[in-house]
């Protein structure tokens, strides 16, 4: 039994990350052991219990905020609402955030928060009460603030909760001119940035698209180059899964199956994602979608024949008991930690390309970084340069029309003249980040002869954190 396993032989989620870290450390043999231990350890864990009155009863709520790394500040990471929340899970997700931020050059340390509740069984009013109380607990202990620790959405939370967090922070820190930057993933009307909501799903799309354009990698798994016509299965139709599915569908890939809690739906010819989503909204379930077959056991959807599998729900969904039955040639980890270490080894032996979570779902934190910068600069992206660009483009066009003695149509003019809007800048920044990240990992994998993308991604991240510590120095 490995030192990373507990008495029953199972890995804890945090041990899974430690195992991946240790694999990467083999390529960092010249680095002092103590420094690697420091990078691996969680710097601060805050476990809290607070009372909330729900109806006539007082309920004690268990919650966490973990700051995995202070090598860069503020710390950054989402808040999860789930009945499965526990310290091990929050610590793991915080650690993933540290490596993720390093890979995509986002200058934050990793953090994560969690509240152990099932939001589906609690009224909106009570979720608001719990969120506000949790925020005030974080404020009391100095675990939140634009330069300290900046939460964001994760599983079970969204814009609504981020708005409440901001409002609570502002009411207790009235006059703080940078208060908007205490949390990201807010609605646009509350200081959010355009493009944040779909950022993680869009980042997943950009990352997989980049891989599909590499001839050598595609041929290694017997696939053609490009995304068009690729058969894709997505698990989880929440924020990440829904947006990823939409972008894949729009790019010409075929979504053959979608899996949710209650079951999965399948159509070999492809599912129309927006229609499935409307059906889900109208009926409360994806099942019985017209022109599709229901699969009652939702986990079975992961085992269907396909080119690309995107787990976008929860961790540990691909494990040693189903890994051998997975038929996908590529797995894109949109969720955090969807593959256990045992499954990872089985899939690697089968030659499956795994695009790891610490890179692939970093789109969310990348755009959160853009939102944080927007909040600190107090100005919308594009506000200063949009009109200027349009005027410059118009002058340039006039010169070209004169030289060529040709008039450009009004429709063509509209396209050429347009200056950058906030959404254009955010998406291009995200696209550039995901493309760069992919090639940095791939190049390192090749040059250092690293066996897979996950280990290469860890080596890349750890190297950047080492660099930070070395430049920063360690307090004597
Ligand atoms: P979400 O709550 O919006 O959606 C999760 C979806 O998964 C829900 O629709 C839920 O019903 C479904 N689901 C739950 N259990 C399932 C099961 N057993 N089988 C199939 N579907 C199931 O959450 P999200 O924000 O989309 O996050 C999903 C994953 O992506 C999580 O692992 C999260 O940590 C990760 N992630 C999210 C973000 C972000 O920006 N939201 C960023 C990075 C990583």
């Amino acid at each position: 039994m490995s030192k990373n396993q507990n008495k029953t032989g199972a890995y804890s989620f945090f041990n899974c990350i430690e195992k991946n870290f240790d694999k990467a450390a083999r390529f960092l043999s010249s680095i002092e052991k103590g420094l690697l231990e420091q990078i691996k350890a969680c710097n601060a864990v805050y476990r809290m219990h607070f009372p909330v009155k729900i109806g006539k009863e007082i309920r004690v709520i268990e919650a966490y905020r973990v700051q995995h790394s202070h090598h860069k500040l503020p710390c950054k990471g989402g808040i999860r609402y789930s009945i499965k929340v526990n310290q091990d899970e929050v610590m793991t997700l915080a650690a993933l955030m540290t490596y993720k931020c390093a890979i995509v050059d986002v200058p934050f340390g990793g953090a994560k928060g969690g509240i152990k509740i099932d939001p589906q069984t609690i009224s909106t009013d009570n979720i608001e009460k719990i969120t506000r109380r949790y925020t005030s607990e974080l404020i009391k202990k100095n675990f939140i603030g634009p330069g300290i620790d900046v939460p964001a959405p994760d599983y079970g939370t969204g814009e609504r909760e981020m708005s409440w967090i901001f409002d609570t922070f502002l009411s207790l820190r009235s006059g703080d001119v940078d208060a908007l930057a205490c949390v990201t993933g807010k609605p646009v009307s509350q200081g959010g940035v355009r493009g944040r909501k779909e950022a993680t799903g869009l980042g997943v799309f950009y990352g997989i698209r980049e891989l599909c354009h590499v001839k050598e990698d595609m041929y290694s798994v017997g696939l053609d180059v490009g995304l068009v016509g690729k058969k894709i299965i997505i698990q989880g139709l929440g924020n990440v899964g829904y947006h990823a599915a939409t972008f894949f569908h729009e790019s010409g890939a075929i979504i053959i199956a979608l899996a949710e809690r209650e079951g999965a739906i399948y159509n070999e010819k492809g599912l129309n994602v927006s229609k499935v989503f409307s059906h889900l909204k109208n009926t409360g379930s994806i099942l019985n979608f017209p022109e599709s077959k229901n699969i009652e056991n939702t986990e079975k959807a992961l085992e269907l024949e396909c080119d690309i599998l995107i787990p976008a729900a929860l961790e540990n969904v691909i494990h040693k008991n189903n890994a051998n039955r997975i038929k996908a040639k590529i797995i894109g980890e949109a969720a955090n930690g969807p593959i256990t270490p045992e499954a990872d080894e089985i899939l690697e032996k089968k030659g499956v390309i795994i695009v790891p979570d610490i890179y692939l779902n970093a789109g969310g934190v990348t755009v959160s970084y853009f939102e944080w910068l927007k909040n600190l600069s107090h100005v919308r992206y594009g506000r200063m340069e949009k009109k200027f660009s349009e005027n410059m483009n118009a002058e340039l066009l006039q010169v070209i029309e004169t030289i060529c003695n040709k008039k450009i149509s009004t429709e063509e003019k509209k396209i050429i003249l347009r200056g950058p809007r906030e959404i254009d800048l955010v998406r291009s920044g995200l696209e550039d980040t995901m493309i760069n990240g992919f090639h940095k990992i791939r190049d390192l994998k090749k040059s250092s002869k690293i066996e897979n993308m996950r280990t290469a991604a860890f080596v890349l991240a750890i190297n950047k954190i080492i660099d930070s510590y070395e430049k920063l120095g360690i307090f004597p």
Side-chain angles (χ1 to χ4, degrees):
M1 200 178 294
S2 126
K3 72 179 174 65
N4 288 324
Q5 285 166 289
N6 65 22
K7 280 180 199 150
T8 65
Y11 288 98
S12 84
F13 195 14
F14 193 70
N15 289 155
C16 295
I17 299 300
E18 290 190 310
K19 197 169 152 62
N20 290 326
F21 187 102
D22 293 343
K23 277 188 185 169
R26 289 181 291 127
F27 295 89
L28 300 159
S29 52
S30 62
I31 306 301
E32 206 190 309
K33 214 168 149 246
L35 183 53
L36 291 174
E37 289 300 320
Q38 166 59 24
I39 294 172
K40 207 157 76 162
C42 271
N43 292 180
V45 179
Y46 178 23
R47 177 174 182 224
M48 65 199 97
H49 286 98
F50 52 81
V52 173
K53 197 146 190 199
I54 295 188
K56 287 191 175 127
E57 272 178 34
I58 292 175
R59 251 184 79 181
V60 180
I61 307 290
E62 180 181 333
Y64 300 85
R65 186 72 186 171
V66 173
Q67 296 172 346
H68 172 259
S69 182
H70 292 156
H71 78 288
K72 281 194 191 291
L73 288 172
C75 293
K76 184 97 192 74
I79 298 179
R80 176 174 284 208
Y81 287 1
S82 158
I83 207 65
K84 291 187 182 155
V85 159
N86 59 68
Q87 185 171 324
D88 179 77
E89 180 185 76
V90 187
M91 281 168 63
T92 312
L93 295 168
L96 283 173
M97 285 306 297
T98 296
Y99 307 124
K100 209 177 285 188
C101 289
I103 289 171
V104 290
D105 287 327
V106 164
F108 297 143
K112 204 80 180 187
I115 305 186
K116 194 176 173 61
I117 50 167
D118 179 359
Q120 294 196 322
T121 60
I122 301 179
S123 71
T124 305
D125 282 354
N126 287 327
I127 295 177
E128 179 174 353
K129 256 193 220 172
I130 294 168
T131 306
R132 288 185 182 277
R133 179 65 197 249
Y134 173 72
T135 311
S136 63
E137 295 294 325
L138 294 179
I139 295 170
K140 268 195 243 168
K141 292 273 186 240
N142 216 14
F143 260 71
I144 184 170
I148 299 168
D149 188 345
V150 183
D154 190 66
Y155 185 89
T157 59
E159 288 185 344
R160 183 184 68 172
E161 287 74 14
M162 302 308 116
S163 239
W164 293 331
I165 291 173
F166 161 62
D167 187 55
T168 310
F169 184 86
L170 187 64
S171 62
L172 294 170
R173 289 269 192 276
S174 139
D176 181 345
V177 72
D178 290 327
L180 267 179
C182 77
V183 63
T184 59
K186 304 177 292 293
V188 173
S189 62
Q190 297 298 313
V193 72
R194 287 162 186 82
R196 171 61 184 91
K197 210 193 222 171
E198 67 273 27
T200 309
L202 183 56
V204 168
F205 166 76
Y206 286 143
I208 296 292
R209 186 191 64 182
E210 206 52 28
L211 167 69
C212 288
H213 281 128
V214 181
K215 211 191 249 179
E216 191 188 337
D217 293 0
M218 288 299 97
Y219 288 1
S220 76
V221 287
L223 291 175
D224 291 333
V225 175
L227 256 182
V228 177
K230 291 267 180 312
K231 293 191 171 181
I232 301 188
I233 296 173
I234 298 186
Q235 182 196 43
L237 208 54
N239 179 24
V240 180
Y242 166 70
H243 288 111
T246 305
F247 290 113
F248 282 123
H249 178 68
E250 285 170 359
S251 75
I254 305 168
I255 309 293
I256 58 163
L258 288 167
E260 256 296 329
R261 293 169 203 258
E262 66 277 13
I265 52 170
Y266 173 76
N267 182 343
E268 203 192 345
K269 295 202 178 91
L271 296 160
N272 181 316
V273 178
S274 64
K275 284 190 182 162
V276 174
F277 199 65
S278 306
H279 174 79
L280 169 65
K281 280 202 148 176
N282 294 337
T283 67
S285 163
I286 58 167
L287 294 177
N288 303 318
F289 178 68
E291 293 172 36
S292 73
K293 210 176 97 187
N294 286 344
I295 300 171
E296 271 179 32
N297 183 351
T298 188
E299 283 176 29
K300 286 286 163 200
L302 304 176
E303 299 170 16
L304 296 168
E305 198 87 48
C306 70
D307 299 321
I308 304 171
L309 173 62
I310 308 281
L314 278 174
E315 57 267 13
N316 296 341
V317 293
I318 302 175
H319 40 76
K320 65 175 185 218
N321 299 326
N322 65 1
N324 259 320
R325 294 195 297 272
I326 301 288
K327 299 180 191 72
K329 315 239 172 35
I330 297 168
I331 302 179
E333 293 188 321
N336 282 311
I339 303 178
T340 65
E342 293 100 335
D344 218 16
E345 278 166 24
I346 297 171
L347 294 165
E348 199 182 327
K349 277 188 198 134
K350 284 172 64 161
V352 178
I353 299 179
I354 297 172
V355 188
D357 47 7
I358 52 168
Y359 155 68
L360 195 65
N361 68 30
V365 73
T366 303
V367 175
S368 271
Y369 170 46
F370 299 159
E371 180 176 333
W372 181 77
L373 290 174
K374 173 185 178 177
N375 295 154
L376 292 178
S377 64
H378 301 268
V379 64
R380 165 171 48 82
Y381 287 107
R383 180 163 177 187
M384 305 300 279
E385 64 268 41
K386 183 170 179 290
K387 194 67 198 149
F388 177 76
S389 297
E390 287 172 357
N391 291 342
M392 289 300 288
N393 291 346
E395 279 178 33
L396 199 67
L397 203 60
Q398 235 172 17
V399 174
I400 295 171
E401 280 182 331
T402 315
I403 294 171
C404 301
N405 199 19
K406 186 177 181 285
K407 284 277 169 216
I408 288 168
S409 75
T410 321
E411 280 312 300
E412 285 167 333
K413 261 189 191 161
K414 255 192 205 163
I415 298 168
I416 299 168
L417 294 185
R418 193 164 68 87
R421 300 164 302 167
E422 181 166 87
I423 185 79
D424 302 319
L425 294 167
V426 165
R427 286 198 176 172
S428 72
L430 173 63
E431 185 174 8
D432 189 50
T433 303
M434 294 308 293
I435 292 173
N436 276 336
F438 176 84
H439 289 288
K440 275 190 201 154
I441 296 168
R442 193 174 181 278
D443 292 350
L444 183 67
K445 177 177 174 292
K446 284 198 95 174
S447 64
S448 302
K449 297 194 171 47
I450 301 174
E451 60 274 19
N452 56 49
M453 274 190 85
R454 189 189 311 284
T455 306
F458 267 90
V459 174
L460 179 69
I462 298 167
N463 261 328
K464 289 192 185 179
I465 302 166
I466 289 170
D467 184 61
S468 230
Y469 269 115
E470 282 177 350
K471 304 250 158 72
L472 205 64
I474 299 213
F475 199 67

